Amino acid sequence: YGFIGEVLRDGADTPYLRTLALTDISWDEASRAMYARHAIEGVAFRNLHTLFGHVITSGQPVLSNHPRQDPRSGGLPAGHRSMDNFLGLPFFRGDEMLGMVGVANRPGGYDDSLV
């Protein structure tokens, strides 16, 4: 599963991610309703203490084939589909980070050649 999103800044100039496309990985009625509500305008993710947050704060690719043990990971919400591996890639225009793409659960994981 995965997402692509744009990196925006709030009034305090704090970066956050707003999805432009997101795999529907809803796991219960509440998460299905949240996905349906936000699928069109995008979901805003403000917690940067996550693997994708590390992409935003570092401006570097993040590759993790063991996210449960990765100190950069903020964990997953209760009931969330398993994340067995993760690759997050920022994209830029000049020095400005415009957004990022994140993918997870590739059979065999990810390696530097994919970056």
Side-chain angles (χ1 to χ4, degrees):
Y1 56 88
F3 64 85
I4 187 168
E6 62 183 324
V7 174
L8 301 172
R9 296 194 172 271
D10 63 18
D13 204 33
T14 303
Y16 68 96
L17 178 77
R18 185 180 69 172
T19 60
L20 299 171
L22 174 69
T23 304
D24 181 355
I25 58 166
S26 38
W27 57 89
D28 61 15
E29 192 56 42
S31 62
R32 276 189 287 284
M34 187 277 300
Y35 179 82
R37 229 179 10 258
H38 297 289
I40 300 298
E41 75 270 4
V43 178
F45 292 99
R46 295 178 183 277
N47 178 7
L48 300 179
H49 301 289
T50 61
L51 291 171
F52 77 80
H54 192 74
V55 174
I56 294 170
T57 58
S58 72
Q60 299 294 314
V62 169
L63 187 155
S64 181
N65 285 316
H66 305 286
R68 285 178 207 86
Q69 291 81 36
D70 194 313
R72 302 169 295 183
S73 176
L76 297 172
H80 190 285
R81 185 173 163 190
S82 171
M83 185 177 357
D84 303 322
N85 48 56
F86 173 83
L87 175 63
L89 300 171
F91 44 93
F92 293 84
R93 177 179 46 197
D95 291 337
E96 178 186 10
M97 184 186 306
L98 299 177
M100 67 164 292
V101 61
V103 291
N105 291 1
R106 180 177 187 260
Y110 300 96
D111 60 44
D112 289 329
S113 69
L114 293 169
V115 172

